[in-house]
Amino acid sequence: MTTTAVTLTRANTSLGVAVGATVTIVASATTGPTGATGATGSTGATGATGATGATGATGATGSVGATGATGPTGATGSTGPTGATGTAATIAVGTVSAGTAAVTNSGSSSSAIFDFVLQTGATGSTGPTGPTGPTGPTGSTGLTGATGPTGATGPTGATGPTGATGTTGATGPTGSTGATGATGATGPEGGSSTLTTKGDILTRSASALDRLAVGTNGYFLKADSTQTTGLVWSIASTDPMNDSKFTAIITMDVGV
């Protein structure tokens, strides 16, 4: 038995089969020897177009095609008018507390006040001590500390034996003469400019050297605190040689 499926290209009205229908032909016969191929017949006339078949199911979506080249940039549009100046926003920190971590704005969008809630976890157990790190490099020497107080003087040791006297060394070369020192201050006046006349006596007032001119012949010098120099020439009211108050008499004689 041989089964063959045939799709008709022309309608067969006698059989009631439409174009495009598949007809299964079942034949049962003993196959004979193949005959010689007959001559090709002439092409028959084209049959009428059959009715349109039902729309088939939608096919799978094809792959996306390659992106096309970028088009040219359009012309720049004109600048729009400047908008009104907005109010500057401010940000401030509000409250900070412990609890479940959160941040809330208790202010407004233009005047923000952020309140922070910080998550505080339970204190963890102390971890194991880590290994000792390598010894770091020696640091630079620090500043020298202040000198400590002088310790108490120790007891004097015993005097050692006197060593032998060494030989006298050779005399060293004479050093160069030093620079001349500054001139000292002028000493007090010795009387050469104060005394001007024969018989002048060099004396002193309360503050400086002074000159007491020679007295009259026969006068003697006596103390008198009312005078500038504390001295005055005076005539003797008694014979000075017989007065026990005098221990020395200065007699002036301008004729000498």
Side-chain angles (χ1 to χ4, degrees):
M1 179 181 291
T2 302
T3 302
T4 305
V6 179
T7 300
L8 299 181
T9 59
R10 276 192 260 174
N12 191 326
T13 56
S14 62
L15 298 176
V17 179
V19 174
T22 300
V23 177
T24 301
I25 301 174
V26 179
S28 179
T30 300
T31 303
T34 302
T37 303
T40 303
S42 60
T43 302
T46 302
T49 303
T52 302
T55 302
T58 302
T61 302
S63 59
V64 178
T67 303
T70 303
T73 303
T76 303
S78 58
T79 303
T82 302
T85 302
T87 302
T90 61
I91 298 176
V93 176
T95 61
V96 178
S97 58
T100 302
V103 179
T104 57
N105 182 7
S106 60
S108 62
S109 59
S110 61
S111 180
I113 300 175
F114 292 123
D115 297 325
F116 294 87
V117 180
L118 304 180
Q119 182 76 42
T120 303
T123 302
S125 57
T126 303
T129 303
T132 302
T135 303
T138 303
S140 57
T141 304
L143 299 175
T144 303
T147 303
T150 303
T153 302
T156 303
T159 303
T162 302
T165 303
T167 59
T168 302
T171 303
T174 303
S176 58
T177 303
T180 302
T183 302
T186 302
E189 197 270 315
S192 59
S193 62
T194 302
L195 303 179
T196 61
T197 307
K198 176 183 176 181
D200 285 349
I201 296 176
L202 184 64
T203 182
R204 182 179 174 83
S205 65
S207 59
L209 294 177
D210 206 344
R211 166 181 171 271
L212 180 63
V214 64
T216 304
N217 288 342
Y219 279 48
F220 69 94
L221 189 64
K222 74 173 183 178
D224 185 348
S225 62
T226 63
Q227 302 299 313
T228 301
T229 62
L231 299 172
V232 66
W233 292 109
S234 177
I235 188 169
S237 58
T238 61
D239 184 358
M241 299 303 293
N242 297 321
D243 192 340
S244 61
K245 296 180 179 179
F246 291 95
T247 58
I249 297 177
I250 301 176
T251 301
M252 300 304 299
D253 184 355
V254 296
V256 176

